[in-house]
Amino acid sequence: MTGRRTPSVHGTAPVPPNPDADPAAEPLLTLPQVLTELAVPRSTFYRWRQLGDAPPAIRLPNGQLRFRRADLDAWINAHTDLVPETHT
């Protein structure tokens, strides 16, 4: 054992998008980062996955999920409910 520890991702802020960066070079978001950004519990996210209505994910060989920023942004935009402004 080397004494090195893997840093915890819990409580970390989502990585902001960089419009000039190559999408393939962008760091992948972790599930805790996505849950924080969407402000939903893990159970809700997995229900969405079961229904086929969750953001696209990359499954790593160890079973963990990662998310591309562009995919998450596109998913959010596709699920934006535009409510018309009411005039009184």
Side-chain angles (χ1 to χ4, degrees):
M1 186 163 221
T2 63
R4 294 177 57 199
R5 294 184 56 186
T6 304
S8 173
V9 294
H10 299 288
T12 60
V15 177
N18 179 354
D20 299 326
D22 175 16
E26 288 284 326
L28 297 174
L29 302 171
T30 63
L31 181 57
Q33 289 172 320
V34 171
L35 296 176
T36 299
E37 184 163 338
L38 296 177
V40 297
R42 188 178 296 259
S43 60
T44 297
F45 181 84
Y46 277 108
R47 183 167 18 96
W48 291 347
R49 279 183 57 87
Q50 191 173 33
L51 295 171
D53 195 28
I58 299 164
R59 183 170 299 278
L60 300 179
N62 65 2
Q64 293 181 358
L65 298 177
R66 293 292 186 271
F67 304 85
R68 288 185 182 95
R69 164 54 58 193
D71 290 344
L72 180 61
D73 289 342
W75 182 88
I76 290 170
N77 290 334
H79 287 79
T80 300
D81 186 14
L82 300 176
V83 179
E85 193 175 311
T86 58
H87 296 85
T88 56

